[in-house]
Amino acid sequence: MAAAALIEIWRGDLLESLHHGHAVVYGPQGAEQVWGEAGAVVFPRSSCKMVQALPLIESGAAEAAGLGLRHLALSCASHSGAALHVGAVGDWLTELGMHESDLRCGSHLPFDPVEAQRLTCSAEKPCQLHNNCSGKHAGFLTLNRHLKGGAEYVEIDHPVQRAVRRAFEEVTGETAAGWGVDGCSAPNFACTLEGLARAMQFFAAARPEGGLRAAAAARLIEAMTAFPELVAGENRACTKLMRAMGGKVTVKTGAEGVFVAILPEQKRGVALKITDGASRASEAAITALLVHLGALDPDNPVVAQLLPPVSKNWRGFATGGMRLAKGFC
């Protein structure tokens, strides 16, 4: 089956753009609803950071380092590089007796407009702490210290990445279809969209009393819902959606149009991929799915922000809007 039409962009009374994709809702009995192709192979990108963080807890590294919920939220984050995030990751490295130079994620201008303006106006260059994946990498460094591995922890055959791959394949229920190098230089393993949704369902059903891995998964979800501002940042979709749902649902974006959701009360996991990689469409699609599943109040202001029925131009004139394609949700 080909990708399904999911999100429409209208201008006046004409369809201007159309985003196709794949989406899977996975429950305790398996795939419950599918749009597009459940077997589509995707790179989860940053949507699977909670999976990559499982070995951090399972190994005992998190406990040995005295990590709290704030650390664990950052280990799953694609943060904005705001002062809040930079300071928290910097403090974490100091606690480890390490430095920014020990990171292997590279640097980029932060997404946070205040911090970006500060750097630009001061002519100060961004550092690796500003990288949206620096929290994940601080988690890798913590695990690496526990495993006594070499400094190049992002290499595919490094003990850290072997542990990540093992966890990834076990919770997706699949052998990785391949791997590529992510923007932060860490390996990113490919799987089917159904496998990714299956992994999210595992997190949704995980309880502290369910064994080592389930307890680790439950702890990570607790951290993400407790500190949504660390997972992304102000005016970011992940943070706004988690706040709107009162900490009852966890969501995580990934580059190139990937989004996942974890619904513990329903024991359901959701995964979607927009084939053209557009974030505006993935944010709209996950919003629609959360409303569809009864997890998000359709009258919550965040729905109109991420799935705007009316679009306005720079002078405030209504020009069109965004709609769900026929058959989606």
Side-chain angles (χ1 to χ4, degrees), residues 17 26 31 34 77-78 94 127-128 131 146 148-149 163 184 188 193 207 215 226 235 246 291 299 306 317:
S17 299
Y26 202 97
V34 177
S78 297
T94 299
C127 69
Q128 293 187 100
N131 188 302
H146 192 72
K148 297 180 172 58
C184 67
N188 197 247
L193 196 68
R207 301 294 184 266
N235 297 315
V291 171
D299 294 326
L306 299 178
F317 298 154

Side-chain angles (χ1 to χ4, degrees), residues 70 74 77-91 108-119 126-135 228-236 239 243:
R70 292 175 61 86
L74 284 166
S78 297
H79 63 69
S80 296
L84 169 71
H85 306 117
V86 172
V89 178
D91 289 344
H108 61 71
L109 197 66
F111 305 147
D112 179 71
V114 175
E115 182 65 3
Q117 183 179 44
R118 185 190 71 80
L119 290 172
C127 69
Q128 293 187 100
L129 297 176
H130 290 101
N131 188 302
N132 73 101
C133 296
S134 65
E229 70 278 5
L230 294 181
V231 175
E234 298 303 320
N235 297 315
R236 297 276 304 283
T239 298
R243 284 175 174 169

Side-chain angles (χ1 to χ4, degrees), residues 32-188:
E32 297 177 345
Q33 294 178 282
V34 177
W35 294 267
E37 186 178 352
V41 175
V42 303
F43 282 112
R45 303 296 296 272
S46 288
S47 75
C48 70
K49 281 181 176 174
M50 54 286 254
V51 177
Q52 294 173 306
L54 283 172
L56 174 63
I57 300 178
E58 290 179 315
S59 66
E63 183 178 5
L67 301 188
L69 291 179
R70 292 175 61 86
H71 298 93
L72 296 179
L74 284 166
S75 73
C76 301
S78 297
H79 63 69
S80 296
L84 169 71
H85 306 117
V86 172
V89 178
D91 289 344
W92 185 352
L93 294 180
T94 299
E95 293 164 9
L96 293 174
M98 295 182 177
H99 306 281
E100 181 263 353
S101 59
D102 292 307
L103 296 170
R104 294 293 183 267
C105 55
S107 60
H108 61 71
L109 197 66
F111 305 147
D112 179 71
V114 175
E115 182 65 3
Q117 183 179 44
R118 185 190 71 80
L119 290 172
T120 301
C121 292
S122 66
E124 180 183 338
K125 293 183 178 180
C127 69
Q128 293 187 100
L129 297 176
H130 290 101
N131 188 302
N132 73 101
C133 296
S134 65
K136 178 180 80 171
H137 281 250
F140 284 161
L141 282 173
T142 305
L143 175 59
N144 191 34
R145 187 178 72 169
H146 192 72
L147 298 177
K148 297 180 172 58
E152 302 306 317
Y153 61 85
V154 294
E155 293 180 350
I156 188 65
D157 59 350
H158 191 281
V160 167
Q161 300 308 327
R162 290 203 300 267
V164 169
R165 180 171 190 159
R166 184 165 54 251
F168 180 84
E169 293 183 335
E170 289 172 358
V171 297
T172 59
E174 301 176 358
T175 300
W179 66 280
V181 178
D182 214 332
C184 67
S185 296
N188 197 247

